[in-house]
Amino acid sequence: MCGIFGIITNEEQILGPILIDAARRLSYRGYDSVGCATVSTGGEIDLRKDVGCVNDVSARLRFAEMRGYRGITQLRWATFGAPSYENAQPHLDSDGDMVGAHNGNVVNNVQMRELFIREGLTVRGTNDGETCVHAVERHFDRNGGQMLEAIRAAYNDLEGDYAFVITHRDDHRLYAIKKGSGLVAGLGDGLTCVSSDLPSILPLTRRILRVYDGEIVVLSPEGVELYGVHDGARIDRRTEWYDGPIEVAEKGGYPHFMLKEIHEQPTVAGELLHLLNGSRHVGRFLDALRAPGGRPVYLVGCGTSYHACLLGAYYFNQLAGVAAVPVLGPQFIEQYGQSVGPADTAVFVSQSGETKDVLNAVKVMRQRGGRVLGVLNVLGSTLMNASDVYLPLACGYEISVPATKTFVNQAVLFLYLAHRLAERDTAELDNLPGLLALVTELSEEPARAVTAYLQGWDDLYYLGYGLTHPIALEGALKLKEITYAHCEGIFSSEFKHGPLSAVHDGYPVVFIAAPGDEMMMINHVNEVTVRGGRSIVIAAQHEALHSNAHDYLVVDETDRYLWPILATVPAQLVAYFMSVARGIDPDFPRNLSKTLTVD
Ligand code: F6R
């Protein structure tokens, strides 16, 4: 949620294109509004911002022509304050001397705003990013213009988790602070910069400086200094050279990142398997999973990552006889937070590695002395740093807000681990990339055809049984996320226990049946069709099941455990085509953000 970027260079120049590029690279974090501010050598602040996505707003407000030697850009995912011009970031302080922007949540925002208003500050909106700026302004005015000290004092006033970047027209530096939200600094030739994450920094420099919670970053064109917020003492830390790939945010000929990322699934699955076969971390990971001695392993995630945990639990239980409990991040705290202890292990799964709901659960597990294993896509993320051992998903950058390839690789990773726990040969998994490529090719037309029917409905169900239950949940989540239709995924045998009453003439229900479950699924299909519902079945070719269904999407029969991963693809494609048919941009569905760093 929200992304910030700040830069300072050794001479005044047209900074607009750099800021636009950084904003584009951060836009997966929020696209309710966007803004840029530049400061000239003469101290003039040019602030342009508005509601909308970066391409539209930057063209309309001509960000490209903005000049200066200091610049800030911010992408907003609204939490405090509706998306509006006033709440768009960056924000000015009362007299327009300071400009700043934040990412995160200041939970005492309302109380702070009331205080500012009582004290006569000019409060223009209701956003907590503005609160960060006023909090600094207030102490700056009192302490005779010391930015570092003003930020340290503001830190004591602002409750919550956030990071912000701020600058004063007469102070030739840029300041940033990290408290719970992501922040990393970069040192380039004649410039330094700071950002919520790496992709916006890498086009400028590969020399980076990690920043930890409770640290203030002071940027000048010559270098970056770090200070502890509590004691104000200088912190020495070496910079690092990042030699990973610079992810190119290009669609590669596809109309949307989502479709591109679905098509990347065979490749990234192959790369992940290759990596796992050669990884020394896998042995340590498996040792930790075996350690509990009969105690269940917790698999913790949110949203799509939680669905992967559900599937992982089936794999661990069915293939390896390892009891695994899939659980949502906050649910882990509420349900098991008092009972887990040093003998327990939890695997925390997160594409971004920054999801607050997951990181809160990590914190509880740490406090209770348990083992923390991480599964993540973004290297360098908070989850990676917080894990005893981690495994990467090796998907490359996932730009589209709906997770696709990272779900597939989470599932592949769990399947691989289950095989290793069961001491089964993992060679059969090597077929997965080829099978994924085939199912992607064969599913496009049938998925498009089914969409033509679903298009007219704003309410439907996805049903799965056992191994396909997580896929039904994931299919339903993808569909509701990017088509705005209501879609619920449930265990197919549960349908008759209540939801069946929703069925009436033509009402669509999508069934996913794994090889071996077809005869049982026929009952669930018929419960719907005899009541006038329309059954859309995703299954391997099966005569009896096929003859009972209205629409049938074939996913060729293969190993029972590999098959649910393949069945994910038509579900993703149905959601994608329906979204496009509705005129929605599936990459950036309304109200959502790719990285959710708030409770
Ligand atoms: C849905 C989706 C979300 C995320 C969830 C957790 O397509 O992407 O449900 O799965 O917000 O995010 P991560 O995996 O980054 O922890």
Side-chain angles (χ1 to χ4, degrees):
M1 54 126 332
C2 296
I4 53 174
F5 173 86
I7 184 167
I8 180 162
T9 62
N10 55 7
E11 60 182 355
E12 184 168 317
Q13 56 187 290
I14 301 282
L15 272 187
I18 293 178
L19 296 175
I20 294 170
D21 186 55
R24 285 204 179 110
R25 288 168 186 273
L26 286 170
S27 58
Y28 69 92
R29 298 176 74 99
Y31 35 87
D32 285 330
S33 65
V34 57
C36 285
T38 52
V39 188
S40 70
T41 41
E44 286 105 47
I45 297 176
D46 181 0
L47 173 63
R48 307 182 191 192
K49 59 181 186 175
D50 208 349
V51 174
C53 65
V54 60
N55 285 347
D56 293 349
V57 178
S58 68
R60 189 155 32 88
L61 301 183
R62 302 198 308 274
F63 286 175
E65 69 187 23
M66 292 176 78
R67 276 188 80 83
Y69 76 109
R70 284 176 272 167
I72 293 173
T73 186
Q74 202 267 9
L75 284 301
R76 177 158 189 252
W77 182 71
T79 49
F80 283 104
S84 65
Y85 171 81
E86 288 75 22
N87 290 329
Q89 302 201 44
H91 295 287
L92 294 172
D93 69 344
S94 301
D95 46 14
D97 287 342
M98 265 184 220
V99 63
H102 98 314
N103 162 33
N105 269 356
V106 175
V107 292
N108 59 340
N109 183 42
V110 172
Q111 295 86 331
M112 291 299 291
R113 287 180 64 249
E114 284 167 0
L115 175 76
F116 300 148
I117 291 166
R118 277 201 305 277
E119 290 184 351
L121 301 186
T122 307
V123 178
R124 301 176 183 92
T126 50
N127 171 242
D128 49 342
E130 185 182 351
T131 292
C132 294
V133 176
H134 290 310
V136 176
E137 166 190 18
R138 189 164 158 260
H139 291 288
F140 182 89
D141 290 346
R142 288 176 185 179
N143 76 11
Q146 295 297 317
M147 279 297 277
L148 190 63
E149 292 312 313
I151 293 169
R152 287 184 60 210
Y155 172 88
N156 292 326
D157 296 338
L158 300 170
E159 291 170 21
D161 286 332
Y162 55 81
F164 67 80
V165 56
I166 190 162
T167 193
H168 188 286
R169 63 197 310 166
D170 302 327
D171 179 313
H172 300 282
R173 280 161 295 194
L174 208 63
Y175 296 80
I177 182 167
K178 171 167 162 52
K179 184 186 178 228
S181 293
L183 197 71
V184 59
L187 292 88
D189 198 9
L191 67 89
T192 61
C193 55
V194 70
S195 177
S196 299
D197 65 22
L198 271 181
S200 51
I201 289 184
L202 293 177
L204 299 166
T205 177
R206 285 171 172 273
R207 182 154 306 284
I208 62 157
L209 184 69
R210 297 204 180 273
V211 185
Y212 295 101
D213 285 345
E215 293 180 353
I216 298 173
V217 194
V218 183
L219 301 110
S220 66
E222 294 76 38
V224 174
E225 291 172 358
L226 291 177
Y227 294 88
V229 74
H230 295 292
D231 56 8
R234 178 93 185 261
I235 298 166
D236 283 325
R237 182 165 308 131
R238 291 160 89 103
T239 59
E240 295 168 35
W241 185 256
Y242 177 87
D243 54 11
I246 299 183
E247 306 288 352
V248 184
E250 280 168 8
K251 293 178 188 156
Y254 291 94
H256 298 99
F257 286 110
M258 182 178 178
L259 193 59
K260 175 177 178 246
E261 287 160 5
I262 290 171
H263 279 265
E264 283 170 358
Q265 291 176 155
T267 309
V268 297
E271 284 170 1
L272 176 66
L273 289 168
H274 180 72
L275 184 143
L276 292 173
N277 283 324
S279 164
R280 54 195 167 80
H281 291 299
V282 171
R284 288 178 61 207
F285 209 94
L286 291 168
D287 287 345
L289 289 175
R290 289 189 192 104
R295 292 177 77 87
V297 173
Y298 298 92
L299 309 181
V300 189
C302 294
T304 287
S305 297
Y306 168 66
H307 299 155
C309 292
L310 279 169
L311 185 59
Y314 281 107
Y315 286 156
F316 281 18
N317 285 291
Q318 293 193 13
L319 277 161
V322 171
V325 179
V327 57
L328 297 165
Q331 188 190 6
F332 176 81
I333 299 170
E334 296 298 318
Q335 207 164 329
Y336 304 106
Q338 303 299 313
S339 56
V340 286
D344 288 307
T345 298
V347 182
F348 296 90
V349 183
S350 172
Q351 181 285 126
S352 60
E354 300 293 348
T355 299
K356 182 92 187 323
D357 287 334
V358 173
L359 297 177
N360 289 343
V362 170
K363 204 181 278 178
V364 168
M365 191 59 168
R366 276 262 167 264
Q367 283 158 358
R368 305 285 307 178
R371 267 176 297 273
V372 173
L373 307 187
V375 169
L376 47 102
N377 192 42
V378 178
L379 297 178
S381 58
T382 308
L383 178 58
M384 184 181 116
N385 294 325
S387 303
D388 296 322
V389 196
Y390 75 90
L391 290 174
L393 291 167
C395 290
Y397 206 41
E398 190 177 62
I399 292 169
S400 192
V401 166
T404 52
K405 58 180 177 173
T406 51
F407 174 76
V408 163
N409 267 12
Q410 287 164 347
V412 171
L413 187 136
F414 276 130
L415 184 56
Y416 178 90
L417 292 174
H419 272 67
R420 293 287 303 271
L421 286 170
E423 295 180 4
R424 280 171 70 135
D425 190 356
T426 57
E428 65 185 292
L429 305 190
D430 295 340
N431 296 327
L432 253 169
L435 293 169
L436 277 165
L438 192 66
V439 75
T440 308
E441 189 189 326
L442 298 180
S443 298
E444 283 210 17
E445 273 324 300
R448 218 189 279 269
V450 163
T451 308
Y453 181 79
L454 293 180
Q455 187 53 15
W457 291 83
D458 270 322
D459 184 26
L460 66 149
Y461 275 89
Y462 254 93
L463 272 52
Y465 185 87
L467 282 166
T468 61
H469 174 225
I471 312 303
L473 296 190
E474 179 57 10
L477 175 60
K478 282 302 85 105
L479 197 128
K480 64 186 140 193
E481 186 179 6
I482 60 172
T483 69
Y484 310 154
H486 169 249
C487 183
E488 218 177 306
I490 64 169
F491 208 101
S492 59
S493 57
E494 278 293 294
F495 201 54
K496 59 183 175 291
H497 293 291
L500 187 56
S501 65
V503 172
H504 57 97
D505 287 349
Y507 186 90
V509 181
V510 184
F511 297 84
I512 312 179
D517 292 338
E518 293 94 343
M519 293 309 287
M520 184 263 322
M521 195 63 95
I522 287 175
N523 298 327
H524 301 162
V525 168
N526 280 330
E527 284 159 11
V528 167
T529 49
V530 296
R531 290 171 175 85
R534 186 170 182 109
S535 58
I536 298 150
V537 173
I538 301 175
Q541 195 49 270
H542 187 279
E543 219 180 305
L545 182 57
H546 199 156
S547 62
N548 279 276
H550 290 102
D551 304 284
Y552 206 85
L553 282 80
V554 178
V555 174
D556 285 339
E557 179 151 4
T558 181
D559 172 84
R560 184 171 157 73
Y561 296 103
L562 261 58
W563 194 90
I565 301 177
L566 304 179
T568 308
V569 178
Q572 292 169 337
L573 289 170
V574 166
Y576 171 77
F577 289 127
M578 192 163 157
S579 174
V580 173
R582 289 186 167 206
I584 295 166
D585 180 349
D587 290 335
F588 298 107
R590 71 183 178 207
N591 304 340
L592 300 183
S593 164
K594 185 102 185 134
T595 309
L596 287 162
T597 56
V598 291
D599 290 306

